[in-house]
Amino acid sequence: MDTVKVKSGKTLMIAHRGLSGLETENTCAAFVAAGNRPSYYGIETDIHRTSDGNFIIHHDPDTSRVGGKKLKVEETDFSTLQEFRLRDKDGSHTRADLRLPSLEEYIGICKRYGKTSVLELKSAFTEEEIREMIGRIEKIGWLSEVIFIAFDYENLVKVRKVKPEQRCQFLTERFSETLLTRLVKDNIDLDIYYPALSEKDLKLCHENGVLVNVWTVDKKADAERLIGWGVDFITSNILEGEVEP
């Protein structure tokens, strides 16, 4: 098993849900696999609140896709979720080392390997929950290396209230000049589904000082085209930048 290499140039590569093309997504195994590869700039993951007010790393609203048994994440307490074991990448069996990580475990791995944390806010968090999350990351000493991303724009507005200069990217499947105006006003960058981006749109974003991340790019030819355009980040399950000798 290995990644697919691409000449990334100045484009920064981000491992989607960790190196999820090789390891079960959003697990410590996937994060370490990405951490051990020097060409990755960052490691992306997803965070939910739990029923008892804690935070857990997971993508879906429930655990059925990666764990077989269905636990609704926001209706389950933190301890129960952490005790739950996930299936290996091929889905054939569960592994004792595969479970839902805590926020601290994810941030700790990013810090250990020197990777930017790209943290997607999945729940509709309150301002106090955002403040608590940021406080926990600050205690680890890694907040300056965190980019918050979200489909829910209000999550990013709340991040801005707590930390006005924190890096943020808005996740979307469509681009418009109206959206760009709002991003410029709020000092928020763009994280867009790659087929929805044109070279003209990218140029317009850059002319307005907005950085552009594209998701989820797994074909080399698509990545090469986007790199040629000059996108700032590529988020991928399996593509990895070539490390120059």
Side-chain angles (χ1 to χ4, degrees), residues 52-121:
D52 53 347
N54 211 321
F55 305 113
I56 199 78
I57 300 299
H58 188 57
H59 180 269
D60 297 353
D62 65 70
T63 59
S64 57
R65 183 171 58 84
V66 293
K69 182 180 177 182
K70 183 176 182 179
L71 297 175
K72 292 184 178 180
V73 175
E74 295 192 18
E75 297 176 13
T76 307
D77 65 83
F78 178 80
S79 295
T80 300
L81 289 167
Q82 281 236 297
E83 290 169 2
F84 185 63
R85 294 298 175 259
L86 307 180
R87 291 191 297 245
D88 200 357
K89 178 64 180 174
D90 64 9
S92 61
H93 60 283
T94 57
R95 270 174 35 188
D97 64 323
L98 296 182
R99 57 180 176 78
L100 308 188
S102 66
L103 170 64
E104 287 81 359
E105 286 171 318
Y106 160 69
I107 294 294
I109 290 171
C110 290
K111 183 178 181 180
R112 176 181 176 84
Y113 292 97
K115 305 298 184 183
T116 293
S117 302
V118 182
L119 186 57
E120 181 176 347
L121 303 169

Side-chain angles (χ1 to χ4, degrees), residues 4-8 11 13 192-199 202 214-231 233-236 238-239:
V4 176
K5 306 301 189 296
V6 61
K7 292 182 179 179
S8 53
T11 299
M13 302 299 292
I192 189 168
Y193 181 46
Y194 78 93
L197 181 73
S198 71
E199 188 172 10
L202 176 65
V214 287
W215 56 272
T216 304
V217 186
D218 286 341
K219 292 182 179 179
K220 188 173 181 178
D222 291 329
E224 288 172 341
R225 182 182 73 258
L226 292 159
I227 290 165
W229 290 357
V231 295
F233 310 89
I234 286 178
T235 300
S236 178
I238 195 65
L239 298 180

Side-chain angles (χ1 to χ4, degrees), residues 40-179:
Y40 284 117
Y41 169 78
I43 300 173
E44 187 267 356
T45 197
D46 310 275
I47 190 163
H48 288 266
R49 75 162 66 84
T50 64
S51 65
D52 53 347
N54 211 321
F55 305 113
I56 199 78
I57 300 299
H58 188 57
H59 180 269
D60 297 353
D62 65 70
T63 59
S64 57
R65 183 171 58 84
V66 293
K69 182 180 177 182
K70 183 176 182 179
L71 297 175
K72 292 184 178 180
V73 175
E74 295 192 18
E75 297 176 13
T76 307
D77 65 83
F78 178 80
S79 295
T80 300
L81 289 167
Q82 281 236 297
E83 290 169 2
F84 185 63
R85 294 298 175 259
L86 307 180
R87 291 191 297 245
D88 200 357
K89 178 64 180 174
D90 64 9
S92 61
H93 60 283
T94 57
R95 270 174 35 188
D97 64 323
L98 296 182
R99 57 180 176 78
L100 308 188
S102 66
L103 170 64
E104 287 81 359
E105 286 171 318
Y106 160 69
I107 294 294
I109 290 171
C110 290
K111 183 178 181 180
R112 176 181 176 84
Y113 292 97
K115 305 298 184 183
T116 293
S117 302
V118 182
L119 186 57
E120 181 176 347
L121 303 169
K122 299 298 286 188
S123 304
F125 291 103
T126 66
E127 187 176 329
E128 282 308 305
E129 287 170 332
I130 295 290
R131 190 177 301 279
E132 170 69 17
M133 191 184 305
I134 286 175
R136 292 191 190 190
I137 299 171
E138 282 183 314
K139 287 182 180 179
I140 299 171
W142 203 242
L143 186 61
S144 63
E145 304 304 322
V146 174
I147 300 172
F148 287 96
I149 66 177
F151 282 99
D152 183 345
Y153 201 93
E154 287 306 307
N155 272 332
L156 302 179
V157 170
K158 291 166 189 172
V159 171
R160 277 277 171 270
K161 288 181 180 179
V162 178
K163 286 288 179 181
E165 300 304 316
Q166 190 69 36
R167 288 185 290 172
C168 293
Q169 297 176 356
F170 177 58
L171 285 160
T172 184
E173 295 185 13
R174 58 181 59 88
F175 177 82
S176 70
E177 293 192 23
T178 300
L179 171 62

